[in-house]
């Protein structure tokens, strides 16, 4: 099973940033920047998870690493 430590940290950071932006008195520019960062972090996390799924034969992935 893949170690999901970094993915868990990313989700925690995204949740914290979302809470901070939602409850703080940010101007529109700060909120736009925070949303852009969240979108960037989400895209990287999704890419990482999809790659891990693809490489995991235990989870039905297509790459067992044996043919390389």
């Amino acid at each position: 099973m893949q170690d999901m430590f970094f993915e868990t940290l990313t989700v925690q950071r995204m949740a914290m940033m979302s809470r901070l932006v939602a409850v703080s008195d940010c101007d529109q520019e700060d909120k736009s920047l925070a949303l852009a960062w969240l979108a960037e972090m989400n895209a990287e996390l999704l890419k990482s998870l999809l790659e891990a799924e693809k490489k995991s034969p235990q989870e039905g992935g297509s790459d067992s690493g044996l043919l390389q």
Side-chain angles (χ1 to χ4, degrees):
M1 187 168 121
Q2 178 190 4
D3 181 14
M4 301 296 285
F5 177 73
F6 291 109
E7 289 81 359
T8 302
L9 284 179
T10 300
V11 170
Q12 290 174 344
R13 289 174 181 155
M14 292 169 64
M16 183 186 68
M17 188 183 310
S18 299
R19 287 192 305 272
L20 288 173
V21 170
V23 300
S24 68
D25 188 24
C26 297
D27 61 17
Q28 191 60 38
E29 186 177 338
D30 290 338
K31 288 183 180 186
S32 294
L33 180 59
L35 286 174
W37 283 346
L38 285 169
E40 213 174 276
M41 292 170 71
N42 186 49
E44 290 174 12
L45 178 60
L46 182 58
K47 180 181 175 185
S48 173
L49 292 174
L50 290 174
E51 188 67 27
E53 182 179 345
K54 176 183 169 190
K55 289 187 175 184
S56 175
Q58 296 85 4
E59 301 296 326
S62 60
D63 185 7
S64 67
L66 296 176
L67 300 176
Q68 296 178 358

